[in-house]
Amino acid sequence: DRDVVSPQADLDDRAVEGALRPRRLADFVGQERVREQLSLVLHSAQRRGRAPDHVLMSGPPGLGKTTLAMIIAAELGMPLRITSGPAIERSGDLAAVLSTLHEGEVLFLDEIHRMARPAEEMLYVAMEDYRVDVVVGKGPGATAIPLEIAPFTLVGATTRAGLLPAPLRDRFGFVAHMDFYRPEELERIVHRSAGLLGAELDGDAAAEIAGRSRGTPRIANRLLRRVRDYAEVRADGRLTLATARAALELYEVDEQGLDRLDRAVLHALLRRFRGGPVGLSTLAVSVGEEPETVEVVAEPFLVRSGFVARTPRGRVATPEAWRHMGLEPPPDAAF
Ligand code: ATP
């Protein structure tokens, strides 16, 4: 099923994923620019003996945002506290986290765009002045009691930076835009992971896995494990090109790395909407998914691969999409 290739991980995979995480900036493959920028931010702060600026990371799921947050804490030699937007339903939830931070600690706030509105405002103040205003009482008699908190570094992650209100976005001193990885970077990641898993991986098999990983390390690692399973059960355990191809075919990952959801979206766009333009929500409904899933998980890769174009009137399939799906575009197709 599509969970095998979706960027969301199951529980078992989570455990192995942890073991495959690079621990230091130097082990983090790819994202050269982000790495260099981040390294400067961290090391200059360390030289000044201050907590570094708050960091915002944006990009599609599975590109290493959580990993980078852990690395930031490790590089600073500070503990990491982890929470997420959906866990903060009231500003009190955030106050509880902020008021128990120790000096210099790194707070990772995943899916920061999903935090409750009132908490957002509390966060601005905390980021800027290291203060939370705790409201005591209700109605006209309510008073805000300012509470000083320890200087900390916030690392926020979001799949949709555009959804963050500008005042919040502006309070991050550094915004890291994470982009899909190049095949050769994924190849290095897959080789590194195979080493950690104790698997024997041929060079051409690594290239095959990398090429079908949707530019995403988490998927590369997942496909590597599925190829390893296949090699262990159906072959002699060695990860060769032939086993990689057979395993990837079994898991329905095509040569371009498109998985079931990607293909379902393309299929609906081409067949049901004659190549578009069609609105995102309509498209999502027709494949039985939440609009956010289609927008965050499938679309960025389809756009990046040149199969889908975003236009003011909606999503449109490109000639490559028709070709890839083996279909003839209608004469009046909108591209
Ligand atoms: P999400 O936003 O869904 O939490 P994420 O972007 O935080 O995803 P991570 O959980 O950090 O993604 O990364 C997924 C896995 O991919 C990690 O377990 C790690 O092994 C691997 N990985 C990510 N980035 C790299 C990298 N640059 N080098 C090596 N491995 C990486």
Side-chain angles (χ1 to χ4, degrees):
D1 66 67
R2 84 171 179 79
D3 284 349
V4 170
V5 285
S6 85
Q8 267 73 45
D10 58 52
L11 273 180
D12 255 13
D13 277 349
R14 283 261 178 229
V16 186
E17 236 166 42
L20 298 180
R21 265 183 216 289
R23 307 273 161 206
R24 301 305 293 253
L25 212 46
D27 306 320
F28 192 83
V29 177
Q31 310 285 345
E32 287 321 317
R33 186 176 295 261
V34 165
R35 241 178 44 205
E36 202 180 328
Q37 292 167 337
L38 193 58
S39 160
L40 262 173
V41 170
L42 297 180
H43 294 130
S44 65
Q46 271 180 317
R47 286 174 65 151
R48 290 194 308 269
R50 305 268 305 267
D53 260 349
H54 306 296
V55 176
L56 179 66
M57 298 181 292
S58 78
L63 298 191
K65 296 188 290 295
T66 306
T67 303
L68 262 190
M70 291 177 172
I71 288 177
I72 290 173
E75 293 287 337
L76 294 171
M78 287 293 169
L80 179 73
R81 285 276 290 275
I82 301 183
T83 185
S84 74
I88 296 172
E89 292 172 14
R90 276 170 264 105
S91 48
D93 300 333
L94 183 64
V97 174
L98 292 171
S99 59
T100 54
L101 285 174
H102 296 292
E103 181 164 356
E105 234 175 332
V106 178
L107 174 64
F108 178 50
L109 220 168
D110 202 5
E111 297 190 82
I112 189 170
H113 62 278
R114 293 176 62 187
M115 194 171 46
R117 269 292 141 103
E120 267 170 12
E121 277 161 40
M122 174 178 279
L123 191 59
Y124 308 158
V125 180
M127 291 168 78
E128 207 157 78
D129 302 331
Y130 300 124
R131 192 189 83 217
V132 285
D133 293 322
V134 181
V135 180
V136 182
K138 280 198 179 122
T143 32
I145 301 181
L147 186 77
E148 228 179 276
I149 57 171
F152 68 106
T153 297
L154 178 69
V155 179
T158 179
T159 44
R160 307 208 284 179
L163 279 190
L164 281 193
L168 179 55
R169 219 171 35 217
D170 293 346
R171 281 171 174 79
F172 286 96
F174 171 56
V175 181
H177 295 283
M178 313 270 292
D179 206 349
F180 289 112
Y181 289 66
R182 289 185 310 235
E184 56 274 23
E185 294 168 341
L186 292 167
E187 246 179 273
R188 276 162 56 205
I189 292 174
V190 164
H191 273 301
R192 176 179 175 276
S193 302
L196 290 171
L197 294 172
E200 251 188 286
L201 173 67
D202 288 356
D204 46 8
E208 189 73 20
I209 294 171
R212 299 198 197 192
S213 300
R214 303 172 92 258
T216 307
R218 182 182 290 163
I219 296 178
N221 282 339
R222 177 111 24 94
L223 295 183
L224 172 70
R225 294 196 292 275
R226 297 297 83 85
V227 172
R228 182 201 51 183
D229 295 348
Y230 190 98
E232 279 173 0
V233 176
R234 304 242 175 120
D236 65 356
R238 191 183 177 88
L239 282 61
T240 62
L241 180 60
T243 43
R245 284 198 175 141
L248 294 170
E249 189 169 324
L250 183 66
Y251 285 108
E252 300 183 272
V253 183
D254 74 18
E255 297 79 37
Q256 300 280 337
L258 302 197
D259 64 21
R260 273 233 222 157
L261 175 64
D262 299 321
R263 280 199 302 270
V265 169
L266 274 191
H267 198 261
L269 178 57
L270 299 177
R271 297 306 288 265
R272 203 176 290 194
F273 303 104
R274 299 168 55 83
V278 59
L280 179 80
S281 335
T282 313
L283 193 56
V285 167
S286 77
V287 294
E289 288 286 351
E290 293 292 322
E292 183 166 348
T293 307
V294 173
E295 186 172 13
V296 167
V297 176
E299 190 179 69
F301 185 69
L302 290 174
V303 169
R304 157 80 179 239
S305 311
F307 292 126
V308 171
R310 282 198 195 107
T311 74
R313 288 185 304 141
R315 274 61 178 177
V316 173
T318 64
E320 287 71 37
W322 292 96
R323 220 172 294 133
H324 185 70
M325 298 296 280
L327 296 169
E328 223 11 78
D332 60 340
F335 39 72

